[in-house]
Amino acid sequence: TPASAALRLFISDVSPNVGRVLLVGNSWTESGITWNTAPSVTGAPELATFVPSSTGWIDIPLDASKLPSGGTYSVAVLNGGTNSTKFDSREGLNASQLVVQSP
């Protein structure tokens, strides 16, 4: 189990809604994922909640005790309500990062 983990995202547009980070399955590929084939978030362990306050970088501490030891991690970032926060993607200038500290 990692000592700590954080999801580092770049927020380009803020909403007042609470966001959630969930651990999801790895049964997807970047070139093959669509809305219909995305991993299910139903019953997925919640790693964090957050409320963005401004644009720019945000480090969201994750509940490292819910991360499996070693391997690949996939997460879903959800934002409640109809006014969603917008994050840069890998194709943008500020790609998301998963920062993991080993024990």
Side-chain angles (χ1 to χ4, degrees):
T1 303
S4 68
L7 184 60
R8 182 174 291 154
L9 301 172
F10 189 86
I11 298 174
S12 56
D13 188 15
V14 177
S15 85
N17 298 315
V18 173
R20 300 183 315 143
V21 180
L22 305 163
L23 183 65
V24 297
N26 295 322
S27 61
W28 60 276
T29 62
E30 186 172 356
S31 61
I33 195 168
T34 67
W35 178 264
N36 293 325
T37 63
S40 174
V41 297
T42 302
E46 186 171 277
L47 301 176
T49 59
F50 64 98
V51 178
S53 59
S54 64
T55 58
W57 288 104
I58 182 174
D59 283 354
I60 304 166
L62 305 178
D63 183 347
S65 70
K66 294 181 181 174
L67 293 174
S69 181
T72 301
Y73 306 114
S74 292
V75 297
V77 180
L78 305 179
N79 193 225
T82 57
N83 181 5
S84 295
T85 299
K86 294 180 182 173
F87 306 99
D88 275 12
S89 66
R90 182 177 70 86
E91 292 81 10
L93 296 175
N94 303 295
S96 303
Q97 303 168 13
L98 179 62
V99 181
V100 179
Q101 299 293 324
S102 57

